[in-house]
Amino acid sequence: MSQAPKYKRILLKLSGEALMGDGDYGIDPVTIGRIADEIKGLNRIGVEVGVVIGGGNIFRGAGLAEAGMDRVAADHMGMLATVMNSLALQDALEARDVYVRVMSAIRINEVCEDYLRRRAVRHLEKKRVTIFAAGTGNPFFTTDSAAALRAIEINAEIMLKATKVDGVYTADPMKDPSATRYEHISFTDALTQNLGVMDATALVMCRENNLPIKVFNIFNEGDLLKVVLGDNVGTLVSEETP
Ligand code: UDP
């Protein structure tokens, strides 16, 4: 396995749930520490890393709205949850001597920087891990859409979508043991077959801007590095066959 990274700049999308570990709410310090170690590994081999984190481990707008809240207020809470997760990851990275900046789509500049595209690109060029918080800053979107948007804006070569399965399968591998992993699928198949890669808004944005996505398992230690080195793990979603 050569140490030369295949990509110079990536956007890593972590769901809020990736931070929970075995718990069912909040942030598990051991889990976030392990993820920070893996991100540090990429930083140390010179990869420019942008990160978008979800908020599902704390609040999801749709869930709160179902329980009776106004959807816009609920989505504001969801976006603020992503800010908390971003601050936790920043802390874990700084504890490991990694330079990092959090930039929020909602102005909250006692806590972190405002998102400015030019400044974000500068941080990345200086090899600072740059965490994009508060989603797109708008209700009715998901952090998958925010990840697609930021990845395109910063000219990332690929979006790495961290999940709890090894990639995209022909069926749900938790339910159907005969399900097999796709090495590659097209955006159109991912959309029309409803394979659950990401929501349609995010997928269409990636397709229209030719941004490939790699779906991989963040719970397999070392797989994030393998993806960046170009090893055959996970599933590539792109228009062209590799
Ligand atoms: N959210 C939003 N606009 C955005 C991104 C996120 O309103 O651009 C809110 C929405 O309520 C969402 C919550 O933030 O449910 C957390 O994000 P998401 O559900 O995408 O987190 P994940 O599932 O990745 O943990």
Side-chain angles (χ1 to χ4, degrees):
M1 189 163 81
S2 119
Q3 281 296 298
K6 184 169 179 187
Y7 309 105
K8 188 170 176 292
R9 181 175 296 167
I10 60 144
L11 190 293
L12 172 65
K13 165 71 204 324
L14 295 167
S15 68
E17 283 174 1
L19 308 182
M20 291 191 312
D22 292 332
D24 55 10
Y25 183 80
I27 301 167
D28 172 50
V30 175
T31 305
I32 201 169
R34 190 187 55 73
I35 293 175
D37 282 335
E38 298 212 23
I39 293 174
K40 176 176 176 172
L42 305 188
N43 177 257
R44 291 298 187 258
I45 58 168
V47 180
E48 296 174 6
V49 185
V51 184
V52 168
I53 315 186
N57 56 323
I58 303 172
F59 290 126
R60 271 211 185 88
L64 294 174
E66 248 169 60
M69 265 192 89
D70 169 70
R71 177 64 193 260
V72 175
D75 279 342
H76 286 157
M77 289 175 69
M79 284 189 267
L80 292 174
T82 74
V83 177
M84 289 195 250
N85 286 333
S86 300
L87 295 176
L89 184 62
Q90 171 173 250
D91 180 78
L93 285 163
E94 282 181 341
R96 289 162 175 78
D97 297 320
V98 178
Y99 293 115
V100 46
R101 294 288 188 277
V102 175
M103 307 189 96
S104 170
I106 296 174
R107 277 191 301 279
I108 178 172
N109 41 42
E110 262 78 16
V111 172
C112 57
E113 293 183 15
D114 296 340
Y115 172 70
L116 285 173
R117 186 224 178 207
R118 282 173 175 278
R119 187 174 291 168
V121 168
R122 191 78 189 116
H123 287 327
L124 290 162
E125 285 168 354
K126 291 193 165 181
K127 310 290 179 212
R128 296 171 183 147
V129 173
T130 307
I131 306 174
F132 303 108
T136 63
N138 298 292
F140 302 103
F141 285 92
T142 63
T143 49
D144 281 350
S145 294
L149 176 65
R150 295 294 182 244
I152 294 160
E153 283 185 280
I154 63 167
N155 291 320
E157 285 154 86
I158 191 162
M159 183 201 309
L160 308 184
K161 159 94 176 161
T163 67
K164 44 189 178 192
V165 284
D166 292 348
V168 182
Y169 280 72
T170 49
D172 183 348
M174 311 270 188
K175 292 183 194 146
D176 180 353
S178 67
T180 52
R181 173 174 65 92
Y182 291 106
E183 270 181 42
H184 172 260
I185 50 166
S186 68
F187 286 119
T188 307
D189 285 347
L191 274 161
T192 53
Q193 293 176 35
N194 241 332
L195 294 170
V197 177
M198 295 197 306
D199 60 78
T201 312
L203 272 175
V204 168
M205 204 184 264
C206 293
R207 181 173 68 181
E208 286 183 357
N209 292 280
N210 214 2
L211 173 75
I213 306 163
K214 185 85 157 185
V215 181
F216 74 104
N217 191 343
I218 189 73
F219 295 101
N220 282 352
E221 222 167 313
D223 273 12
L224 176 58
L225 178 62
K226 285 186 189 156
V227 167
V228 168
L229 296 177
D231 291 3
N232 179 20
V233 289
T235 298
L236 182 70
V237 189
S238 66
E239 221 40 56
E240 301 93 38
T241 313

Coordinates of all heavy atoms in Angstrom, one line a residue, residues 54-55 58-59 73-87 104 106-108 111 133-135:
G54 N -23.3 16.2 10.6 CA -24.7 16.3 10.8 C -25.1 16.6 12.3 O -24.2 16.8 13.1
G55 N -26.3 16.5 12.6 CA -26.7 16.8 14.0 C -27.7 15.7 14.5 O -28.2 15.9 15.6
I58 N -28.2 14.6 18.1 CA -28.8 15.6 19.1 C -30.2 15.9 18.7 O -31.2 15.6 19.4 CB -27.9 16.8 19.2 CG1 -26.4 16.4 19.6 CG2 -28.5 17.8 20.3 CD1 -25.4 17.6 19.5
F59 N -30.4 16.6 17.6 CA -31.7 17.0 17.1 C -31.8 16.9 15.6 O -30.9 17.3 14.9 CB -32.0 18.5 17.4 CG -32.3 18.8 18.9 CD1 -31.5 19.8 19.5 CD2 -33.2 18.1 19.6 CE1 -31.7 20.1 20.8 CE2 -33.4 18.4 21.0 CZ -32.7 19.4 21.6
A73 N -38.3 26.4 13.2 CA -37.7 26.4 14.5 C -36.9 25.1 14.8 O -35.8 25.1 15.3 CB -38.7 26.7 15.6
A74 N -37.5 24.0 14.4 CA -36.9 22.7 14.6 C -35.7 22.6 13.8 O -34.6 22.1 14.3 CB -37.9 21.6 14.3
D75 N -35.7 23.0 12.6 CA -34.5 23.0 11.7 C -33.4 23.9 12.3 O -32.2 23.6 12.2 CB -34.8 23.3 10.3 CG -35.4 22.1 9.5 OD1 -35.3 21.0 10.0 OD2 -36.0 22.3 8.5
H76 N -33.8 25.0 12.8 CA -32.8 25.9 13.5 C -32.1 25.1 14.6 O -30.8 25.2 14.7 CB -33.4 27.2 14.0 CG -33.8 28.2 12.9 ND1 -34.7 29.1 13.1 CD2 -33.3 28.3 11.7 CE1 -34.8 29.8 12.0 NE2 -34.0 29.3 11.1
M77 N -32.8 24.4 15.4 CA -32.2 23.6 16.4 C -31.3 22.5 15.9 O -30.2 22.2 16.4 CB -33.3 22.9 17.3 CG -34.1 23.9 18.2 SD -35.4 23.2 19.0 CE -34.6 22.1 20.2
G78 N -31.8 21.9 14.8 CA -30.9 20.9 14.1 C -29.6 21.5 13.6 O -28.5 20.9 13.8
M79 N -29.7 22.7 13.0 CA -28.4 23.3 12.6 C -27.5 23.6 13.7 O -26.3 23.5 13.6 CB -28.8 24.6 11.7 CG -29.3 24.2 10.4 SD -29.5 25.6 9.3 CE -31.2 26.1 9.6
L80 N -28.1 24.1 14.8 CA -27.3 24.4 16.0 C -26.6 23.2 16.6 O -25.5 23.2 17.1 CB -28.1 25.2 17.1 CG -28.5 26.6 16.6 CD1 -29.4 27.2 17.7 CD2 -27.3 27.5 16.4
A81 N -27.3 22.0 16.4 CA -26.8 20.8 16.9 C -25.5 20.5 16.1 O -24.5 20.0 16.6 CB -27.8 19.6 16.7
T82 N -25.5 20.8 14.8 CA -24.3 20.5 14.0 C -23.1 21.4 14.4 O -22.0 21.0 14.3 CB -24.5 20.7 12.5 OG1 -24.6 22.1 12.2 CG2 -25.8 20.0 12.0
V83 N -23.5 22.6 14.9 CA -22.4 23.5 15.4 C -21.8 22.9 16.7 O -20.5 22.8 16.8 CB -23.0 24.9 15.8 CG1 -21.8 25.8 16.4 CG2 -23.6 25.6 14.5
M84 N -22.6 22.3 17.5 CA -22.0 21.6 18.7 C -21.1 20.5 18.3 O -20.0 20.3 18.9 CB -23.2 21.1 19.6 CG -23.9 22.2 20.3 SD -24.9 21.6 21.7 CE -26.5 21.8 21.0
N85 N -21.6 19.7 17.4 CA -20.7 18.5 17.0 C -19.4 19.1 16.3 O -18.3 18.5 16.5 CB -21.5 17.7 15.9 CG -22.6 16.9 16.6 OD1 -22.5 16.5 17.7 ND2 -23.6 16.5 15.8
S86 N -19.5 20.1 15.6 CA -18.3 20.7 14.9 C -17.3 21.2 16.0 O -16.1 21.0 15.8 CB -18.7 21.8 14.0 OG -19.6 21.4 13.0
L87 N -17.8 21.8 17.0 CA -16.9 22.3 18.1 C -16.3 21.1 18.8 O -15.1 21.2 19.2 CB -17.7 23.2 19.1 CG -18.3 24.5 18.5 CD1 -19.1 25.2 19.6 CD2 -17.2 25.4 18.0
S104 N -19.2 28.6 10.3 CA -20.7 28.4 10.4 C -21.5 29.1 9.3 O -21.2 30.3 9.0 CB -21.2 28.8 11.8 OG -22.6 28.8 11.8
I106 N -24.5 29.9 9.8 CA -25.3 30.9 10.6 C -24.3 31.8 11.3 O -23.4 31.2 11.9 CB -26.2 30.2 11.5 CG1 -27.2 29.3 10.8 CG2 -26.9 31.1 12.5 CD1 -28.0 28.4 11.7
R107 N -24.5 33.1 11.3 CA -23.5 33.9 12.1 C -23.6 33.7 13.6 O -24.7 33.8 14.2 CB -23.8 35.4 11.8 CG -23.1 35.9 10.5 CD -23.2 37.4 10.3 NE -24.5 37.8 10.4 CZ -25.4 37.8 9.3 NH1 -24.9 37.4 8.2 NH2 -26.6 38.3 9.4
I108 N -22.5 33.3 14.1 CA -22.4 32.9 15.5 C -21.0 33.1 16.0 O -20.3 32.2 16.5 CB -23.0 31.5 15.7 CG1 -22.9 30.9 17.1 CG2 -22.3 30.5 14.8 CD1 -23.6 29.6 17.3
V111 N -18.4 32.1 18.7 CA -18.2 30.7 18.8 C -17.3 30.2 17.7 O -16.4 29.3 18.0 CB -19.5 30.0 18.8 CG1 -19.3 28.5 18.8 CG2 -20.4 30.4 20.1
A133 N -20.0 24.1 9.6 CA -21.1 23.9 10.6 C -22.4 24.6 10.1 O -22.4 25.4 9.2 CB -20.6 24.4 11.9
A134 N -23.5 24.2 10.7 CA -24.8 24.8 10.5 C -25.4 24.5 9.1 O -26.2 25.2 8.6 CB -24.8 26.3 10.8
G135 N -25.0 23.4 8.5 CA -25.5 22.9 7.3 C -25.4 24.0 6.2 O -24.4 24.7 6.1

